[in-house]
Amino acid sequence: MTTQINVLDAGRKEQIKDIVCDILELDLDEVTETSLFKEEHDADSLRTIEILASLERVFGLSLEQAELSRMVNLAGVYAVIAEAEGK
């Protein structure tokens, strides 16, 4: 059995980055795909939960809280969203 991994287009990635930057109160140019939310941007666990909840609401997805451990940077968030959309 093979699992198809969805790839997010640039528009979807930009939308996700906008949500993350809004919640973390950062400018778009301050966050890269690999910059760490907690270590580099001082995000606490409440903010990461807020990111998860916002993504669920905006994209109409149901995300497990266990995915928070993967959502440490934009690349992780993109992967989680792509997988959730592929289900």
Side-chain angles (χ1 to χ4, degrees), residues 7-19 59 78:
V7 177
L8 299 176
D9 63 30
R12 182 73 101 198
K13 285 183 175 182
E14 186 177 328
Q15 194 175 11
I16 292 168
K17 186 173 181 176
D18 286 343
I19 291 167
F59 298 119
Y78 295 158

Side-chain angles (χ1 to χ4, degrees), residues 3-14 16 33 59 75 77-87:
T3 303
Q4 178 170 346
I5 303 292
N6 276 9
V7 177
L8 299 176
D9 63 30
R12 182 73 101 198
K13 285 183 175 182
E14 186 177 328
I16 292 168
E33 281 198 26
F59 298 119
V77 174
Y78 295 158
V80 168
I81 296 299
E83 288 172 22
E85 288 182 338
K87 290 184 179 175

Side-chain angles (χ1 to χ4, degrees), residues 40-85:
E40 297 177 52
H41 303 300
D42 298 320
D44 58 18
S45 58
L46 187 59
R47 293 214 188 224
T48 55
I49 291 170
E50 193 175 340
I51 290 169
L52 182 130
S54 289
L55 293 170
E56 285 183 321
R57 190 172 52 256
V58 169
F59 298 119
L61 299 170
S62 179
L63 303 170
E64 298 294 325
Q65 289 222 353
E67 297 293 4
L68 288 172
S69 64
R70 297 175 51 209
M71 297 171 62
V72 297
N73 56 24
L74 277 176
V77 174
Y78 295 158
V80 168
I81 296 299
E83 288 172 22
E85 288 182 338

